[in-house]
Amino acid sequence: MKFRYVVAAALAVAVAAGAPTAGARTDGDAASSTLTVWLMTDAQGGAWADVVSAANRQFESAHPGIEVDVQIQTWGDHLTKLDAALAGGRAPDVVELGNTETTKYMAAGALANITGNRGSFPNSRTWLQALTQSCTYQGRLFCVPYYAGARAVIYRRDHWRQAGLRKAPASLDAFVNAGKRLMRLKRSDRNYSALYFPGKYWYAAMSFVYDYGGAIARFRNGRWVGTLDSQFALRGLRKWKETARALSRANRSGTEATQWTVFSQGRVGATISNGWEWGLIIDPENGNPRLNLGAFPMPSHTKGKFMPTFLGGSDLAIPATSGNRALALDWIRTFTSNGNMRTLTSAAGVIPNTTSLAGVNASKPQLAPFAQAAKASWFVPTAPNWANVENAQVLQNMLSSILTGRSTVEAASRRASTQITQILNAR
Amino acid sequence: MSAAPRAATPAAEPLLSSRRRERGLPARVAAGAPPYLLVLPTLVVLVGVLAYPLYWLGRISFEHYGLAELIARKGTWTGLDNYRHMLGDAEFWRIVARTIAFTVVNVGLTMLFATLIALLLVRMGTIVRGAVLVGLVWVWATPVTVAIAVWQWMVDFEFGVLNWTLTKLHVVDLIHYNWFDNPWTGFAVITAVVVWGAIPFAAITIYAGFSQVPQELVEAAEVDGASAWEVFWRVTFPLVKPIFVIVTSLSIIWDFQVFNQIWIMLEFRPSPDYYLLGVYSFVESFRVSQYGLGAAIAVVMVVLMLGVSFVYVRQMVRISEADA
């Protein structure tokens, strides 16, 4: 109540004074001296943060008087924030988008068309094909590839050796059987997971679907159709359920968001992880440097092959509403320079945005398996509405209802497919 | 603003009123203007923070309004399409039923515990009462987000204090028990958080009402042989009924739109089993970018809440009339 009086009083004063100055905006000056950049939490710590601040220093020395304001966002709600900022005309000048999120924004006209600037970006001739595709809509370029990530199994060598696994397993069954032996060996620890697999970890679960020849959705006769209830997808989902139930005691309604924390506490034999999680698991401050880790690509149910991994990644885009397009372009050029990308690749363990740097981590045992895994990959349906499927948590909800036993595989996948068909075809 | 001191000078009053009859319409309007001028700032604020957003909410609910429209700030009129889609969706009716059931249970529990605590407060010694009041105010003062974080740790899957305690006490085995796997236990936790947070306001307000009941009436009833229940039901309750009406209608308004407790508790990703109307509207708007449909759901909420607010406002008006 008091607040309302204060506002009323303030307004009364403003009205009495005629308040002509309230309309005079000084944004023009403010906007040109600050460049606002939204990056995701991954860039918040360690070697990654060092690359960001190095790029900012380079940029600021090339543009005296301009300050770069990097605002760190979380994956959970950054799109909600971006939508609100776009609607309010206060969007950042540069925004990081996941490669599954870009299509929706390109189709809605939210991003600046930078086709004409393509040649001016470092390594643009050798950009990763998959990321470049995620930046292209109707033949035009709307963002710049930033980095990619592929998932592989990170495991405790000492634990799995006890279960008889001395090298990368040749098939999914060999892996699951060794995991079952490991669970029996560790049966006295009721918190132990041979393969820690949270219920809502859809990137890893969908790999089973694609391994058995299924898909999330397919484009048929001019419209999208959810296909998680197809025979192939069902086979993959059943195998996933069996694997997670047998090897994991992770939260069946939980996410993979902090799985490295659980790993570093010692009651986990393996996780399906991105390359950079290795460093987090053995981080001297927040992790456990004594763990004896190894990595291999997740094996396929077909002997000798790898299970397709989700090729994740991020792109850097300029919202169409930004008044600082030239500066934003230049910041992106600086940030994705060959030198900065090389540091990011070797120090943070990402897959670089250019094939010309693919060799940087080839000889590192803790990073090579991830690059190897990336050779067999799957990607989400490239429908403009795909981000809405992610936002509505359709896959996560399906997976956790299967794993907790609230629904059968058949019923849950049918429901999810109907939902996906509906969302992808919504106008 | 410079007009105000003149009007307030009492000495000028008789002079003004003797002239009033002779003046024309413009002058009379000018004389009647100050009260309206004084309400004007409040009105401007109310229009700015309530009427304008409500106008937009209503308007968007009749439009196709997706991300492209959001950026262009211009929707396309589709008439009743959003409402037709919403009312034809079985999911919507399930959520309405769930929201009503949730509200009934939460308001019921809040009122029950708040009344019991208020009755206790009346009978307590000064020191104990002070301690209980401080405890209540602490709960009241805890920001919702902080409270939710604390409760999250209580029922956490890996490290939950509640799970650990109950297991150690051999009540039930809750190692690696996820309260939110089953919507019933999940909603039990959410209800606990909501009721826990709502009790202080209700209890203190009802206690304030109880303390206004004349002691003679209670004593007279007791002398006449009324039991404790009869004293409460026939003497105390009728006297403080207006307060019960107000607290209940406020609780209904709050519990009907519970959002944070579900949204934050379930880490911004509640499964559809946990959708109440507020959460559903948010998901449709901000997660699926169907702002038109989300707005239509919100309009339904506003209409339903207007009914409850009517009861509340009527009671408030009655009280102020009785005071005057």
Side-chain angles (χ1 to χ4, degrees), chain A residues 4 7-9 11-13 15-16 75-77 79-80 83-84 86-90 104-105 107-110 190-193 196 200 249-255 257 262 265 321 387-388 391-393 396-397 400 404 406 419 422-423 426-427, chain B residues 1 40-42 44-46 49-50 64-73 76 78 81 85 89 156-159 167 173-178 180-183 263 266-275 282-283 285-291:
Chain A
R4 193 183 289 169
V7 174
L11 253 154
V13 172
V15 169
W75 286 107
D77 68 351
L79 293 185
T80 308
D83 292 358
L86 285 168
R90 300 258 163 181
K104 176 183 173 184
Y105 288 88
R190 294 179 54 210
N191 288 308
Y192 188 82
S193 295
Y196 183 85
K200 290 185 175 175
R249 288 204 183 91
N251 190 344
R252 286 173 179 166
S253 318
T255 72
V262 187
Q265 281 158 4
T321 53
N388 295 345
N391 288 339
Q393 311 280 319
Q396 291 91 324
N397 293 330
S400 74
T404 54
R406 264 181 296 165
Q419 248 179 310
Q422 193 191 335
I423 294 177
R427 187 178 60 89
Chain B
M1 294 224 37
L40 188 67
T42 319
V44 168
V45 173
L46 283 178
V49 303
L50 280 177
H64 174 73
Y65 211 94
L67 183 62
E69 287 79 10
L70 183 79
I71 292 159
R73 298 188 211 175
T76 35
T78 53
D81 271 12
H85 179 89
D89 188 358
D156 185 80
F157 177 78
E158 304 271 357
F159 318 104
T167 309
D173 184 359
L174 293 179
I175 290 298
H176 274 190
Y177 179 75
N178 187 343
F180 297 101
D181 272 352
N182 180 334
W263 196 250
L266 295 166
E267 293 167 331
F268 317 110
R269 302 180 173 91
S271 72
D273 298 328
Y274 288 95
Y275 286 2
F282 186 88
V283 169
S285 300
F286 293 99
R287 286 283 150 103
V288 193
S289 294
Q290 297 190 359
Y291 294 93

Side-chain angles (χ1 to χ4, degrees), chain B residues 204-262:
Chain B
I204 290 173
T205 312
I206 295 171
Y207 163 67
F210 283 164
S211 64
Q212 297 304 307
V213 174
Q215 206 50 41
E216 309 88 71
L217 287 181
V218 176
E219 277 165 18
E222 278 168 355
V223 169
D224 288 344
S227 69
W229 169 251
E230 282 170 331
V231 171
F232 173 75
W233 189 241
R234 291 172 187 271
V235 180
T236 317
F237 184 72
L239 283 170
V240 295
K241 198 176 143 209
I243 290 188
F244 272 87
V245 172
I246 287 175
V247 175
T248 307
S249 44
L250 275 179
S251 298
I252 293 174
I253 292 171
W254 289 333
D255 291 349
F256 196 80
Q257 33 190 337
V258 156
F259 179 82
N260 285 328
Q261 283 86 346
I262 292 176

Side-chain angles (χ1 to χ4, degrees), chain A residues 75 97-102 130-131 134 147-152 201-211 216 256 272-276 298 306-315 351 370-371 373-382 386 390 395:
Chain A
W75 286 107
L97 290 171
N99 58 346
T100 64
E101 299 166 344
T102 48
L131 288 185
S134 73
Y147 71 92
R151 289 170 173 82
Y201 192 2
W202 67 279
Y203 293 119
M206 286 302 120
S207 287
F208 284 75
V209 168
Y210 283 89
D211 192 36
I216 298 171
E256 73 281 13
I272 300 173
S273 289
N274 268 302
W276 58 83
M298 185 76 178
F306 299 145
M307 186 180 276
T309 177
F310 170 71
L311 196 73
S314 277
D315 303 310
I351 296 177
F370 297 89
K375 283 175 186 157
S377 68
W378 63 272
F379 195 63
V380 298
T382 51
W386 171 256
E390 281 190 30
L395 298 171

Side-chain angles (χ1 to χ4, degrees), chain B residues 19-34:
Chain B
R19 277 190 201 158
R20 192 167 286 160
R21 273 168 240 117
E22 299 146 31
R23 284 186 298 175
L25 188 66
R28 263 189 286 157
V29 169

